[in-house]
Amino acid sequence: LACTRSMYSLAARGYGPAPKTFGQVDQHTDMPHNSAVIALLIVCAWLVYFVGGLQLGWAGEYGAFQTPYQTLTYLSCHDDWTLWDKLVCTMDKHKNFNGCGEKILRANRLAAAINFCCQGRPFFLSGEEFGRTKGGIKNSYCSSVEVNLLDWQRAWACEELVDYYRGLIALRKSLPCLCDKSGEATKRVLSAVDLSADCAAITLDNRNVMLSSCRQKDGKLLLRLYNGSNTEQNALLTVKKCNFTLHFTPFEAKALVVDGDQVTETALSFI
């Protein structure tokens, strides 16, 4: 698709080889067929290069990732629905895309917390931090400017969500276990437990320097709890007899002494 766009975009502006030929658009299909033929040849060349094994000298075998930082994590991008529209389409029977419903906000915050607390390289669509909406339009490449623009008035209306994203970014930067770019990053994951069908707990080594000889005996731990259900959950802690700093919201932390071995987590929330 990118190759087709590139050849046609050049030809439509009078640039590149044979612009009259590659700028032609079929009247029946409304597609630049000549440009698409060139795109097919280029894609075949890349197919031979990558799948044929010629790239193994510098890229390694497909899927042979050495560190989490070789992965990208995201919830929405310029293609398909925005995160907010996806949540509204699946959770709001009234399809109120321009609202700021509490349940949709909680789901948005939970999704963002999952993304920003991954060890990979996170990115998010511009405007996602204030619930950017395109009115439920799934593919807006041919939509008007009004559909695709950033609504800064909505940024003020959803100011708390903006603050939450700001807090997640600050929280991530403060946690060594999420920013570790070394090949040892995967060793920081000490446990990952499904507490229920919609509730999970992940424990990571959060020290600045990891010592394999005493990894679980000394230093700080990060315990992440996710509740994706619509009900309150009692999460059984995987680490016992510890004092935790509890982040109900990433930008407001307070000390918590866990009483016993469980903590109560509200619906659609992240601790």
Side-chain angles (χ1 to χ4, degrees), residues 52 72 81 103 120 132-133 143 146 152 154 185 192 213 236 254:
L72 297 175
W81 278 307
K103 186 175 182 180
R132 180 179 180 180
T133 178
S143 299
E146 287 73 21
W152 297 112
R154 184 170 175 81
S213 60
L236 186 66
K254 60 181 180 179

Side-chain angles (χ1 to χ4, degrees), residues 145-186:
V145 173
E146 287 73 21
V147 170
N148 287 292
L149 57 74
L150 295 174
D151 184 357
W152 297 112
Q153 292 182 343
R154 184 170 175 81
W156 286 106
C158 298
E159 185 177 5
E160 290 187 1
L161 185 59
V162 175
D163 286 341
Y164 194 84
Y165 271 75
R166 183 184 294 114
L168 282 174
I169 294 171
L171 178 65
R172 180 182 178 83
K173 290 181 178 179
S174 69
L175 298 173
C177 62
L178 301 182
C179 301
D180 190 345
K181 298 180 176 64
S182 72
E184 301 294 310
T186 54

Side-chain angles (χ1 to χ4, degrees), residues 19-92:
K20 290 185 179 180
T21 300
F22 294 116
Q24 292 179 0
V25 176
D26 189 278
Q27 295 181 354
H28 300 287
T29 62
D30 201 28
M31 286 291 293
H33 288 175
N34 294 333
S35 180
V37 171
I38 296 298
L40 177 62
L41 296 177
I42 296 175
V43 169
C44 289
W46 279 111
L47 182 67
V48 172
Y49 181 71
F50 280 102
V51 181
L54 299 179
Q55 88 290 3
L56 297 182
W58 61 271
E61 294 183 5
Y62 180 77
F65 304 113
Q66 302 300 315
T67 171
Y69 260 72
Q70 290 179 301
T71 65
L72 297 175
T73 63
Y74 65 96
L75 302 166
S76 61
C77 64
H78 66 283
D79 285 324
D80 215 313
W81 278 307
T82 66
L83 173 60
W84 184 267
D85 286 354
K86 177 64 174 178
L87 293 173
V88 171
C89 285
T90 54
M91 299 177 67
D92 182 3

